[in-house]
Amino acid sequence: MTDRKATLSVGDKSIELPVYSGTVGPDVIDVRGLVKQGIFTYDPGFVSTAACESAITYIDGENGVLLHRGYPIEQLAEHSDYLEVCYLLLKGELPTDAENTLFHDTIKNHTMLHDQMRNFFQGFRRDAHPMAIMCGVVGALSAFYHDQMDVTNEHQRDITAHRLIAKMPTIAAWCYKYSIGQPFIYPRNNLSYSENFLQMMFGVPCEEFKPNPILAKAMDKIFILHADHEQNASTSTVRLAGSTGANPYACIASGIAALWGPAHGGANEAVLDMLAEIGDESNIDKFIAKAKDKDDPFRLMGFGHRVYKNFDPRAKVMAETAHEVLSELGLEDDPLLKIAQRLEQIALEDEYFVERKLYPNVDFYSGLILKAIGIPTSMFTVVFAMSRTIGWFAHWNEMVSGDYRIGRPRQLYTGSPARDYPKE
Ligand code: CMC
């Protein structure tokens, strides 16, 4: 923070506004005092607005940088594991070995769902989208743990974090099992976090499940790469819901709802749908032309990003992982992959995409990996949601443990001014 000021002239008024600097990144102008001058700022989509102060994640979109608590995402993906990243996001520092072991053990102790939760799954239609089920079931956790949830109590917030991190893979896998009519598979605590997720997804009670270590490692990387992404739409939704003092499980359910849309977490599912629609390499040019046509709403799914205007550092790690997984599974000649590779090449060379800095984003590659592992398309955003839960929680936790006010945006009203109700 500094004592620098920005001056805003509106008509004959000159207003001084404080300017603050973060550790890194752009300065911000504190516009909170404007309301007293009868002025609001106008920023639909929050493109220029910092809605909070945060010390969790930093993104430099121009230079393709993503840091969690200062650590580059590439280094975390290479050297860490998802649960250690969860600890880092939550606590602010990497754990010592003892803290790390304790954290892993604690998470393992919370993986089972309350047995009554099975009934919630059964209330859904079999063909319900798994995101709809996940949103409902996570919201329902608030009914199970409401009494033990005092948001001002740090210990209770920690337990909530442990429960959420531990139970999300169980909920996610059960959404899938329910949709295909297979029995729910219980967590096995001798497995790692990602191995356990794979066994709950693909295991059956009549056979022993042996997780493939390369696929488990790839899953763990997908979890790490989706763990947090600063003040995106779903995280901002969780913060806004949490600013009212709402139950944290309900707040996480609001994040799941916001993530679902194709412009956000739904993009990895949309990528695979798009590749299937393209169908054959000979159709690619037609789809590229559609993407460039201003009169056609079609967009190349998995390309472009609101913040990354150079490259998405997560996409780089994901691209490497995609190649590892596809070669492990002998799927290098998969027709959808061929289409994906050709699209990637075109987008990196075509003037339209280069000019607009539309690079393949993380969802472009994660969809391919998840498909290769055997996770159905409708589950892609569910995997994103379970990975992002720690990010949502860390932001909610940061907010409620500091000074905060209820979120209440303003508007530029363009409706009718006051008028009288027409009498008969
Ligand atoms: N295909 C074709 N053209 C595009 C695309 C695309 N995927 N994305 C942006 N454009 C064009 C857009 O038409 C506009 O062109 P012009 O300047 O001529 O009007 C220009 O690029 C800028 O687009 P914008 O809509 O102003 O960019 P935005 O920052 O508002 O949107 C985005 C970002 C991610 C919503 C958008 O790029 C998009 O819809 N991409 C496809 C969906 C997708 O992959 N989403 C996942 C994002 S990464 C996961 C996450 O973090 O949630």
Side-chain angles (χ1 to χ4, degrees):
M1 305 279 176
T2 67
D3 54 5
R4 284 178 305 141
K5 302 264 186 237
T7 309
L8 176 71
S9 302
V10 187
D12 55 4
K13 267 192 214 167
S14 176
I15 305 164
E16 290 220 315
L17 301 165
V19 178
Y20 308 136
S21 299
T23 334
V24 274
D27 289 346
V28 299
I29 301 172
D30 181 346
V31 295
R32 283 175 293 184
L34 284 181
V35 67
K36 290 202 181 112
Q37 312 281 342
I39 298 168
F40 298 152
T41 54
Y42 180 61
D43 185 17
F46 299 107
V47 278
S48 301
T49 297
C52 63
E53 189 183 322
S54 180
I56 300 174
T57 288
Y58 173 72
I59 301 173
D60 175 351
E62 286 304 321
N63 294 309
V65 172
L66 168 59
L67 310 177
H68 291 322
R69 302 288 191 181
Y71 296 105
I73 190 67
E74 298 88 339
Q75 293 182 23
L76 292 172
E78 192 180 343
H79 303 296
S80 188
D81 69 18
Y82 177 68
L83 286 186
E84 190 183 51
V85 172
C86 288
Y87 185 100
L88 174 68
L89 289 169
L90 202 57
K91 298 284 175 193
E93 294 297 336
L94 286 167
T96 61
D97 287 348
E99 285 166 341
N100 205 14
T101 307
L102 178 64
F103 190 69
H104 279 69
D105 287 349
T106 307
I107 298 304
K108 280 180 182 173
N109 281 328
H110 286 284
T111 50
M112 281 201 303
L113 299 183
H114 190 294
D115 213 45
Q116 249 181 294
M117 296 230 65
R118 299 169 70 94
N119 301 336
F120 281 91
F121 287 87
Q122 258 119 32
F124 285 95
R125 283 170 57 121
R126 289 275 177 198
D127 61 356
H129 194 287
M131 278 298 276
I133 304 181
M134 181 178 241
C135 196
V137 171
V138 172
L141 288 175
S142 58
F144 282 78
Y145 302 114
H146 194 75
D147 293 351
Q148 300 154 43
M149 193 56 249
D150 169 5
V151 300
T152 61
N153 181 317
E154 189 182 347
H155 177 63
Q156 291 192 15
R157 291 201 305 269
D158 274 349
I159 295 175
T160 306
H162 300 155
R163 286 191 173 130
L164 276 164
I165 298 165
K167 292 182 200 309
M168 286 304 271
T170 315
I171 293 174
W174 284 20
C175 290
Y176 174 57
K177 287 298 194 193
Y178 183 72
S179 73
I180 56 168
Q182 284 190 2
F184 295 138
I185 299 295
Y186 285 101
R188 264 178 43 205
N189 290 351
N190 61 330
L191 297 177
S192 73
Y193 192 82
S194 55
E195 288 171 341
N196 190 35
F197 174 63
L198 290 175
Q199 79 91 18
M200 288 190 289
M201 281 289 293
F202 301 117
V204 283
C206 43
E207 272 174 32
E208 196 195 340
F209 180 83
K210 287 213 176 77
N212 174 324
I214 293 183
L215 304 190
K217 179 93 190 129
M219 269 325 300
D220 199 71
K221 276 199 183 157
I222 289 185
F223 297 158
I224 293 176
L225 295 176
H226 287 93
D228 189 40
H229 213 226
E230 202 227 67
Q231 313 305 328
N232 52 80
S234 55
T235 303
S236 300
T237 302
V238 172
R239 277 187 180 260
L240 195 55
S243 76
T244 68
N247 180 289
Y249 297 100
C251 296
I252 298 298
S254 76
I256 296 172
L259 186 76
W260 193 356
H264 193 7
N268 51 14
E269 179 174 345
V271 169
L272 262 284
D273 290 344
M274 176 190 75
L275 294 178
E277 201 189 336
I278 296 176
D280 190 90
E281 279 188 75
S282 61
N283 294 327
I284 290 180
D285 289 347
K286 199 171 75 196
F287 279 85
I288 293 280
K290 269 164 75 64
K292 293 185 194 176
D293 182 354
K294 286 276 146 254
D295 299 324
D296 191 326
F298 175 78
R299 283 186 167 198
L300 276 193
M301 287 294 121
F303 287 82
H305 199 277
R306 167 60 65 81
V307 179
Y308 295 119
K309 298 299 179 195
N310 192 337
F311 66 92
D312 179 341
R314 301 167 302 168
K316 276 195 169 173
V317 179
M318 209 60 108
E320 282 165 23
T321 310
H323 289 293
E324 278 163 31
V325 168
L326 293 160
S327 92
E328 165 71 11
L329 297 172
L331 291 174
E332 292 103 323
D333 293 328
D334 183 88
L336 288 194
L337 180 69
K338 290 266 171 241
I339 298 173
Q341 282 171 332
R342 181 80 192 108
L343 277 183
E344 178 190 17
Q345 191 189 356
I346 291 173
L348 295 175
E349 289 166 3
D350 188 294
E351 204 185 321
Y352 174 95
F353 293 92
V354 174
E355 243 177 34
R356 289 169 181 74
K357 303 188 170 179
L358 300 171
Y359 298 86
N361 59 46
V362 66
D363 290 317
F364 184 69
Y365 298 104
S366 66
L368 295 175
I369 301 174
L370 293 173
K371 179 182 182 293
I373 290 178
I375 295 176
T377 320
S378 62
M379 281 291 294
F380 287 4
T381 319
V382 168
V383 171
F384 190 163
M386 62 174 269
S387 321
R388 182 56 58 85
T389 295
I390 180 56
W392 293 328
F393 189 88
H395 282 272
W396 173 87
N397 195 43
E398 179 181 66
M399 183 182 69
V400 300
S401 49
D403 281 338
Y404 67 104
R405 299 177 75 181
I406 184 169
R408 184 25 174 120
R410 300 294 191 145
Q411 63 172 3
L412 170 65
Y413 177 67
T414 54
S416 169
R419 51 183 161 166
D420 289 325
Y421 184 80
K423 297 187 186 88
E424 274 183 27

